[in-house]
Amino acid sequence: MDFDFSQAMKERSDAELIKIVKISKDDYQQEAILAAEAEIVRRNISREEIEKLTHINTIQKSIEEKKANEPLDLHWKILTFIFPIVFTIILSGYYKGDGYDKKARDLVKWTLFGFGFYFLFFLIISIF
């Protein structure tokens, strides 16, 4: 059974259609892009409106990319290192849900550093 891209594109806003066609082409199948282009033509969206929405979508995408690449703050790294599991559970869902992909990855990395530190610490104590 084939997916009906035409119907799916009819449910999208003008801004979403422009984003599919102009900004995020690599994220969509060719059939979806063609359906979005056909819907833009069907709606008779003006060239000025397309340019305006393209500009807005470009700004939004750059903001999303900036958020996704923002590193974890030093105080969260330290707290996650000292208390490995507590802060990971609390913050990981928050960061991932808000688009802070790098912060979520850094949180996991510092949690693993904390676990490793405590493992080695208790291993050395148990040997001596």
Side-chain angles (χ1 to χ4, degrees):
M1 181 175 158
D2 292 329
F3 185 76
D4 185 9
F5 288 109
S6 298
Q7 182 59 38
M9 294 306 156
K10 286 179 183 177
E11 297 170 2
R12 301 283 183 128
S13 69
D14 291 351
E16 291 174 315
L17 292 171
I18 301 303
K19 184 177 182 180
I20 291 168
V21 172
K22 297 284 188 179
I23 308 294
S24 304
K25 270 189 169 181
D26 295 338
D27 297 338
Y28 292 90
Q29 296 177 21
Q30 186 63 30
E31 295 84 8
I33 295 168
L34 293 173
E37 289 172 343
E39 184 62 21
I40 290 170
V41 170
R42 189 187 73 75
R43 292 184 189 182
N44 198 22
I45 301 173
S46 69
R47 185 170 289 303
E48 293 81 23
E49 185 70 12
I50 291 172
E51 289 175 12
K52 182 179 105 178
L53 291 172
T54 300
H55 180 68
I56 291 169
N57 284 331
T58 303
I59 291 170
Q60 286 175 338
K61 184 166 183 159
S62 69
I63 290 169
E64 289 169 2
E65 288 174 357
K66 183 179 177 188
K67 281 177 72 173
N69 294 316
E70 191 172 312
L72 188 65
D73 296 327
L74 180 61
H75 65 278
W76 288 121
K77 289 178 183 179
I78 293 168
L79 286 171
T80 303
F81 182 83
I82 295 170
F83 306 106
I85 199 73
V86 176
F87 289 99
T88 303
I89 292 170
I90 294 169
L91 292 176
S92 63
Y94 167 76
Y95 283 142
K96 193 69 173 168
D98 274 356
Y100 292 100
D101 296 337
K102 183 162 178 25
K103 282 187 176 190
R105 287 191 311 270
D106 285 352
L107 194 62
V108 170
K109 179 174 71 174
W110 282 93
T111 298
L112 293 175
F113 288 161
F115 276 127
F117 170 78
Y118 285 114
F119 177 76
L120 290 175
F121 178 76
F122 288 117
L123 183 66
I124 291 170
I125 287 178
S126 66
I127 291 173
F128 296 109

